[in-house]
Each structure stands twice: as C-alpha cells, then as structure tokens.
C-alpha cells in the first residue's frame, strides 16, 4: 500500500471572495497541510484548494474532548 501524498490543486478564485468560506476549500488541520503550502509556493500559485485531495476529510479540527483531561492540575493558587 502506498503512502498518502498531499494533492493540492491550484485555486483560481480571488483570495478575498465573499461567496465562499476557506473551510470549504482547505483543511488546515490536515497533517499534510504544510506540504501542500510548499507545493503551492514552489509552483508559484496565488492560492490552492484541498477539495480534490483524497485526504481532504481525513483530519478534522480537534474538539473539546481532546483537551478535557490534558489540563495541568490546579495548584490552588489564584
């Protein structure tokens, strides 16, 4: 089985378009997001989308349950 690779696609819509939300086109919580930024920079793209990537829905934003038991113990000091 091959290792998953990031597959960003050039995004041609204006960066400040008000008709879409960036979350519809990118998954900033993806473990490969940094690699996709590198691809976009190397190809001199103004922007990119993750929409066609098979990993687009793989990693999601962490919820409160991820942090509920990771807090340090209360030392009793204000």
């Amino acid at each position: 089985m091959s290792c998953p690779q990031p597959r960003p696609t050039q995004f041609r819509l204006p960066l400040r378009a008000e008709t879409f939300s960036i979350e519809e086109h990118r998954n900033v919580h993806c473990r490969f997001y940094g690699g996709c930024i590198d691809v976009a920079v190397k190809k001199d793209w103004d922007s990119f989308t993750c929409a066609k990537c098979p990993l687009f829905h793989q990693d999601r934003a962490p919820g409160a349950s991820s942090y509920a038991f990771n807090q340090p113990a209360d030392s009793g000091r204000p």
Side-chain angles (χ1 to χ4, degrees):
M1 184 166 106
S2 65
C3 184
Q5 297 292 316
R7 294 190 186 121
T9 305
Q10 187 172 12
F11 193 54
R12 299 180 190 268
L13 291 178
L15 295 176
R16 301 191 194 283
E18 296 181 14
T19 59
F20 68 90
S21 169
I22 196 68
E23 291 83 16
E24 295 173 15
H25 298 282
R26 291 188 189 174
N27 180 1
V28 299
H29 302 287
C30 178
R31 69 191 83 188
F32 298 106
Y33 189 73
C36 292
I37 291 174
D38 290 343
V39 169
V41 168
K42 288 176 184 175
K43 293 187 176 191
D44 198 30
W45 293 346
D46 288 331
S47 187
F48 71 94
T49 178
C50 306
K52 295 180 182 178
C53 180
L55 305 171
F56 182 44
H57 297 289
Q58 185 170 329
D59 296 321
R60 303 308 314 152
S65 62
S66 299
Y67 299 102
F69 299 104
N70 291 338
Q71 300 301 314
D74 184 2
S75 65
R77 292 183 293 177

